[in-house]
Amino acid sequence: GQNIDQPTEMTATEGAIVQINCTYQTSGFNGLFWYQQHAGEAPTFLSYNVLDGLEEKGRFSSFLSRSKGYSYLLLKELQMKDSASYLCAVRDPGGSYIPTFGRGTSLIVHP
Amino acid sequence: DSGVTQTPKHLITATGQRVTLRCSPRSGDLSVYWYQQSLDQGLQFLIQYYNGEERAKGNILERFSAQQFPDLHSELNLSSLELGDSALYFCASSAGLAGGRGDTQYFGPGTRLTVL
């Protein structure tokens, strides 16, 4: 089976930096995804990590440590529109390569 | 816009009824996935089709079924509906099925199902 843990909720200030952590326990590993989901809308793809290290894409960066079963999503220069749920998903070859999603972290950005 | 389309956007129906949700994948994508999202359960995988064939099953109830047609669009059929089936139903598509960055899932806008 798979177990993915994320904090339920985080708050941050506009313009600041926030780090959303994700830990996972899976029998196999074939990539970790981060998605952003605004309330009532579709999840939108943010990043994909399969090798250890940091992937940077504009204001968003994602880090992976496979040995620790750990990832984080770093959001810089926070904007009000970044208020959303952030979903961590892990793909396991033993699970037919279907990503399993965490419950998501609800990020609230305030002025 | 992910390129994945879903209809209808909203659906309100009564217990015991049957509904069909429709999904068209992104151009060129062969895999279609169905997910259910409710407030207390998060995003739950239901079923995957690849090029017309069922490839993986998740937590899909026997009252639910799906298929993928030759033009690659997919339909999710929900029957004998119960109050607890009220949720957002998302369709996602990806290029293939064997892992890799190219198999990133892109989600449609979802269908909000309300069972009264």
Side-chain angles (χ1 to χ4, degrees):
Chain A
Q2 300 180 346
N3 189 32
I4 300 172
D5 286 316
Q6 308 178 233
T8 303
E9 187 175 292
M10 300 181 69
T11 59
T13 305
E14 193 175 15
I17 300 172
V18 71
Q19 177 175 312
I20 302 174
N21 295 325
C22 171
T23 58
Y24 63 89
Q25 293 175 311
T26 59
S27 53
F29 180 82
N30 182 255
L32 185 145
F33 300 84
W34 284 97
Y35 285 83
Q36 179 192 61
Q37 186 179 24
H38 287 97
E41 298 183 8
T44 55
F45 170 70
L46 291 177
S47 68
Y48 169 75
N49 294 70
V50 67
L51 299 176
D52 291 351
L54 188 68
E55 295 255 353
E56 298 187 76
K57 196 187 293 185
R59 293 190 299 115
F60 293 5
S61 303
S62 57
F63 171 83
L64 175 67
S65 169
R66 289 172 296 170
S67 62
K68 294 184 174 142
Y70 168 69
S71 173
Y72 67 72
L73 180 70
L74 193 72
L75 292 74
K76 304 175 191 171
E77 301 169 14
L78 280 172
Q79 302 175 10
M80 300 296 289
K81 67 178 182 179
D82 296 330
S83 293
S85 185
Y86 291 85
L87 309 176
C88 170
V90 177
R91 187 164 59 193
D92 180 351
S96 302
Y97 291 93
I98 307 296
T100 297
F101 283 80
R103 297 292 297 270
T105 299
S106 178
L107 174 66
I108 301 168
V109 180
H110 54 82
Chain B
D1 184 356
S2 67
V4 180
T5 61
Q6 287 187 250
T7 57
K9 194 164 176 63
H10 300 278
L11 202 47
I12 301 175
T13 188
T15 54
Q17 295 298 304
R18 172 190 167 94
V19 297
T20 297
L21 313 183
R22 182 188 169 104
C23 166
S24 292
R26 294 187 319 157
S27 177
D29 282 359
L30 298 179
S31 273
V32 169
Y33 311 77
W34 286 97
Y35 287 86
Q36 180 192 58
Q37 188 176 43
S38 53
L39 283 174
D40 59 345
Q41 291 291 329
L43 203 59
Q44 297 289 314
F45 168 68
L46 296 177
I47 197 164
Q48 177 202 10
Y49 279 81
Y50 174 77
N51 204 22
E53 293 190 5
E54 181 186 304
R55 292 306 300 237
K57 258 186 172 178
N59 302 318
I60 189 166
L61 299 171
E62 284 193 13
R63 301 184 284 110
F64 297 180
S65 65
Q67 54 184 332
Q68 186 179 28
F69 295 87
D71 66 353
L72 300 178
H73 91 270
S74 177
E75 293 181 356
L76 179 67
N77 301 296
L78 314 176
S79 61
S80 303
L81 285 167
E82 302 174 359
L83 295 177
D85 297 327
S86 295
L88 266 171
Y89 290 84
F90 288 106
C91 167
S93 74
S94 71
L97 50 61
R101 186 180 297 268
D103 285 328
T104 296
Q105 294 179 332
Y106 293 89
F107 285 79
T111 294
R112 181 173 292 282
L113 174 66
T114 303
V115 182
L116 302 175

